[in-house]
Amino acid sequence: QVQLVESGGGLVQPGGSLRLSCTVSGSHFSPNIMGWYRQPPGKERELVATAEYDRSSTKYLDSVKGRFAISRDFAKNMAYLQMNSLKPEDTAIYYCYAFIKAEAINDYWGQGTQVTVSS
């Protein structure tokens, strides 16, 4: 059974940094795509960043470009989201996502980790 487990959330002051980690277990395959989504209070879930396996390309939500960086450790089947210069509007539950084409079920989500940016 494929599982995604996130860690690294918490409370940080504006301008601070956090690094989220996501570990994929239970699959023999490296995810084709891994990414991070977030759901701010009272709003819908939105894509924050993705990283593809084949092309090593990345995509970012416009409002986090230059502040956030997604990376992957293919050997460990992990993904990271380095978040710098955090703003109160970055407050949200952050979810790790994986797309594994070779599995019978392709889409997987982590349980979410809370990130709160507040003074």
Side-chain angles (χ1 to χ4, degrees):
Q1 183 178 359
V2 178
Q3 290 186 319
L4 276 59
V5 178
E6 303 114 333
S7 63
L11 173 64
V12 63
Q13 292 186 341
S17 298
L18 282 175
R19 189 176 85 148
L20 305 182
S21 300
C22 175
T23 303
V24 181
S25 63
S27 176
H28 296 294
F29 309 99
S30 290
N32 304 86
I33 300 172
M34 289 195 72
W36 293 91
Y37 285 70
R38 69 185 183 187
Q39 187 164 16
K43 297 184 179 180
E44 295 188 352
R45 192 175 297 189
E46 61 184 359
L47 172 67
V48 176
T50 60
E52 296 185 24
Y53 181 90
D54 291 342
R55 296 183 293 169
S56 297
S57 65
T58 57
K59 295 180 181 178
Y60 293 93
L61 179 68
D62 283 347
S63 62
V64 308
K65 286 180 181 177
R67 301 188 297 121
F68 290 11
I70 186 171
S71 59
R72 293 181 62 175
D73 184 329
F74 296 105
K76 295 181 179 180
N77 238 5
M78 294 184 69
Y80 305 94
L81 185 68
Q82 178 66 44
M83 304 185 293
N84 299 325
S85 302
L86 283 161
K87 303 175 180 181
E89 52 263 42
D90 295 317
T91 294
I93 300 174
Y94 284 72
Y95 297 91
C96 180
Y97 166 77
F99 173 80
I100 308 176
K101 187 176 182 180
E103 295 284 353
I105 298 174
N106 302 134
D107 300 293
Y108 298 92
W109 294 89
Q111 79 285 358
T113 185
Q114 178 71 47
V115 171
T116 302
V117 185
S118 175
S119 54

